[in-house]
Amino acid sequence: MSLVLIAEDEEAMLEIFAQVVEELGHRALRAHNGEEALMLARTERPDLVVSDHMMPRRTGVELLRMLRADPRLEKVPFLLLSAAQPKGLEEADAFLSKPVDLDTFEAAVQQVLGSRPVAPEPREEAMPAEARAGHSSGAVREEMLNWVAHEIKTPLSSARLNAQMLLRKQGERGSDEERKCSEAILRQLDRMNALVTSILDAARLSEGKVALRREPGELAAFLQEVVQEWRELQPQVDFSLSGAVQRVALSFDAERVRYILNNLLSNAVKYGGAQRRVEVSLLRTPGLALVQVRDWGVGIPASELRNIFERFHRADGAGGNGHGLGLYIAAALARLHGGSLTAQSELGHGSTFSLRLPLPA
């Protein structure tokens, strides 16, 4: 049995994390702020520290650095949780974004305790100094965004974890109707989280606060992986993929490109009409990789087509019921890569979205 110190200022979150840890067979030690967590760690050395970042009387990163400065505690594994991406998160043994998934949290605790650290999510690169000059209000806005992320995503995370715990218990002795209700709650919580994430992403993009984490990769293999995920997710839809046999090597941010593709594929499924058919193609043109996503659905009116990449715009003729941020974010991420996202459509005959990414010179 291991001793796990949990630092979380939200009582509901603290209790659910402690319950999960105890159900894994470990002993949970509870702290309501960073200072209390430091005192408890010095009193009884834990085998793992799980800590939120935005807490009173020391943030999670400050707590981590105080532990690392103590020769007796410097080797204690540290799992950091946060709705934002704080500076210093890479110093932790593992990092999980809020809202935290129950299975993911359990796996992270077990892996870190088993001396198999979960790689921290890389922190976005800071903007160059010249880009920050003259924008003192930018730090205030970023602080506000982090506050919004914490204050909204923390209760979302608590609600989601409790719903997952409820679903587990219903799996043992609950009725089908009870399980369906719990699953519906989870779906709505995920929609709320996606909306909050999109609003924060859109705000950071408009402020120039998003930097890419590029790595060399093979686009064809990456595209095959994404399409296969959608085939498994939507087996009733016919996803065809052409052109992915050729190698297309370039440097790109896989997480951001996945967001773009998922947005395009989601829209193609949503507005694809009765044919339930989506065609994805990969072409290599001089200096560019071209990924196209085509459907044969309702299409977009010509009067709306020029505005679909604007913030909060929804094409009424396409039956749009989203939040109007997905295509705005996708297009902005394409531009950050030095590429572009465009659309062609005819009302009643479907749409084709084209993502262009620059190839290495």
Side-chain angles (χ1 to χ4, degrees):
M1 177 187 294
S2 299
L3 176 62
V4 180
L5 171 59
I6 305 169
E8 170 64 68
D9 60 320
E10 294 285 339
E11 186 69 31
M13 291 290 292
L14 180 61
E15 287 306 314
I16 196 72
F17 286 143
Q19 181 180 346
V20 171
V21 165
E22 289 167 351
E23 289 183 355
L24 288 173
H26 307 298
R27 186 158 65 93
L29 197 59
R30 297 162 172 81
H32 297 84
N33 58 64
E35 193 63 35
E36 182 183 1
L38 182 61
M39 179 191 68
L40 290 173
R42 287 171 171 170
T43 302
E44 185 176 7
R45 185 183 186 276
D47 298 294
L48 169 65
V49 175
V50 176
S51 177
D52 185 29
H53 173 64
M54 294 185 69
M55 296 185 298
R57 304 181 64 191
R58 293 192 194 281
T59 66
V61 171
E62 289 171 345
L63 171 62
L64 168 60
R65 289 170 177 169
M66 290 298 295
L67 295 176
R68 294 288 188 259
D70 187 327
R72 183 170 166 268
L73 301 171
E74 62 179 346
K75 299 297 185 181
V76 174
F78 198 98
L79 171 57
L80 183 66
L81 312 173
S82 179
Q85 288 201 335
K87 292 181 180 179
L89 69 84
E90 70 280 356
E91 300 172 31
D93 296 273
F95 173 75
L96 295 178
S97 296
K98 287 185 173 181
V100 179
D101 179 78
L102 185 60
D103 292 336
T104 302
F105 177 74
E106 286 181 336
V109 169
Q110 291 174 316
Q111 287 175 340
V112 176
L113 282 173
S115 300
R116 297 187 298 275
V118 180
E121 295 179 9
R123 180 169 57 88
E124 292 177 353
E125 303 168 4
M127 293 179 66
E130 60 271 18
R132 298 194 305 267
H135 292 277
S136 58
S137 61
V140 176
R141 286 191 291 269
E142 181 65 17
E143 184 178 354
M144 178 61 71
L145 289 174
N146 288 336
W147 179 86
V148 169
H150 177 266
E151 292 303 312
I152 295 179
K153 287 201 169 190
T154 294
L156 268 178
S157 186
S158 176
R160 195 179 193 284
L161 284 170
N162 276 285
Q164 286 184 303
M165 292 291 287
L166 180 62
L167 193 57
R168 278 190 181 182
K169 293 176 181 178
Q170 289 170 341
E172 299 170 1
R173 58 180 183 274
S175 66
D176 289 341
E177 184 177 353
E178 288 174 333
R179 285 192 293 273
K180 286 179 181 178
C181 289
S182 295
E183 289 168 353
I185 291 171
L186 277 173
R187 285 195 298 272
Q188 294 306 313
L189 289 171
D190 286 341
R191 283 188 63 190
M192 290 173 65
N193 179 56
L195 174 58
V196 173
T197 299
S198 293
I199 292 172
L200 293 170
D201 284 347
R204 290 191 172 107
L205 282 163
S206 65
E207 292 286 339
K209 297 292 185 181
V210 174
L212 299 180
R213 300 188 290 268
R214 295 176 184 264
E215 292 183 359
E218 213 292 298
L219 187 59
F222 179 77
L223 192 59
Q224 288 174 339
E225 176 187 321
V226 173
V227 171
Q228 183 58 36
E229 289 173 356
W230 276 91
R231 285 172 176 155
E232 295 171 2
L233 183 66
Q234 298 281 346
Q236 72 278 15
V237 179
D238 176 21
F239 291 94
S240 64
L241 175 60
S242 62
V245 293
Q246 57 183 319
R247 289 183 57 82
V248 181
L250 71 161
S251 180
F252 63 100
D253 184 325
E255 178 185 348
R256 305 297 189 180
V257 172
R258 187 183 296 273
Y259 177 94
I260 298 171
L261 294 173
N262 282 341
N263 184 271
L264 300 182
L265 290 166
S266 175
N267 285 342
V269 170
K270 187 184 301 184
Y271 305 124
Q275 286 201 37
R276 311 296 284 168
R277 176 186 171 199
V278 177
E279 181 182 276
V280 183
S281 62
L282 173 63
L283 299 172
R284 185 174 183 139
T285 64
L288 291 172
L290 174 64
V291 179
Q292 292 188 311
V293 177
R294 182 183 179 187
D295 67 73
W296 284 262
V298 296
I300 304 169
S303 59
E304 300 282 355
L305 196 56
R306 71 182 69 180
N307 302 316
I308 61 172
F309 297 112
E310 294 180 2
R311 276 187 296 180
F312 306 115
H313 181 83
R314 292 181 291 184
D316 296 333
N321 57 2
H323 46 60
L325 286 170
L327 287 176
Y328 165 78
I329 294 172
L333 292 175
R335 290 193 297 272
L336 275 180
H337 278 86
S340 65
L341 182 62
T342 59
Q344 293 178 306
S345 186
E346 184 180 351
L347 196 59
H349 296 279
S351 305
T352 300
F353 284 82
S354 299
L355 170 64
R356 296 171 178 84
L357 297 172
L359 295 173

